[in-house]
Amino acid sequence: MSRRTTVALLCCTLLVVLPARAQATTTGGTSYSSPPGGTAAQAQASTPTPAPTAPAATAVATIGADGKAVAPATAPPAVTALIAAANQIASLPYRYGGGHADFTDTAYDCSGSVSYALHGAGLLDWTLDSTGLSRFGAAGPGTWVTIYANKTHTYLVVAGVRFDTSGRPKGGSRWQTALRANKGFKVRHPVGL
């Protein structure tokens, strides 16, 4: 066998072995244990992070006098479900640790609120703290849903309106039309949204 043939065979072998090995390595994110078959949350956390792209323009949700958001007619079903879930807790009080022992609670903190909304859309099977949410899904802003998270706080922007425990009037809704500065936050989104 000639040297050129040997080199060609070696290169072909590497082309087969390296992609298989790359698939077996962890690309980052959070890993969770769960029943065999996995969950939607695992798929979100283990999906390789694509390069951020500019989100497409979407219709903007509205906030009614009752403090509840109304999804745009063109919103995907998951966005409509997320908004409906968030509406259920939008006016409940804030409590540190609220919404973490169980999705059903009488008060919610920031990450408990975001987890509840994501769970309502079928995107999360258990609550995450703000650090866990900073690794959820894919990097960059989403078309419909964007998660802003750091080690001390997290909030959502859904169809152009903010779902946040901070900046709301006492006893008011977590839904707010005013956006906030996001310096120091990881920007993530559920894959596909």
Side-chain angles (χ1 to χ4, degrees):
M1 191 180 319
S2 74
R3 183 176 178 165
R4 180 177 268 177
T5 304
T6 303
V7 170
L9 286 172
L10 181 60
C11 288
C12 288
T13 302
L14 287 173
L15 290 173
V16 171
V17 172
L18 289 178
R21 184 174 176 171
Q23 290 174 352
T25 58
T26 303
T27 59
T30 305
S31 59
Y32 303 98
S33 59
S34 69
T39 63
Q42 286 177 311
Q44 292 287 328
S46 64
T47 303
T49 304
T53 57
T58 59
V60 177
T62 57
I63 301 173
D66 60 357
K68 294 182 178 181
V70 178
T74 57
V79 172
T80 302
L82 188 151
I83 288 173
N87 281 340
Q88 293 174 1
I89 64 166
S91 297
L92 291 181
Y94 175 92
R95 183 180 71 239
Y96 182 78
H100 286 281
D102 191 333
F103 281 113
T104 304
D105 207 339
T106 56
Y108 293 81
D109 68 7
C110 61
S111 53
S113 298
V114 169
S115 292
Y116 187 94
L118 292 168
H119 176 70
L123 301 170
L124 191 64
D125 293 325
W126 51 84
T127 61
L128 295 176
D129 63 12
S130 59
T131 301
L133 288 163
S134 74
R135 295 186 294 257
F136 177 82
T143 303
W144 288 94
V145 179
T146 302
I147 301 162
Y148 294 90
N150 60 30
K151 64 183 180 178
T152 61
H153 188 61
T154 187
Y155 66 96
L156 292 170
V157 173
V158 184
V161 294
R162 182 167 55 116
F163 186 70
D164 193 350
T165 57
S166 70
R168 69 184 186 136
K170 189 169 179 74
S173 175
R174 286 170 168 79
W175 288 112
Q176 302 169 56
T177 56
L179 298 181
R180 59 175 283 172
N182 58 18
K183 184 177 180 181
F185 285 86
K186 300 275 184 165
V187 181
R188 308 290 294 181
H189 68 278
V191 175
L193 296 176

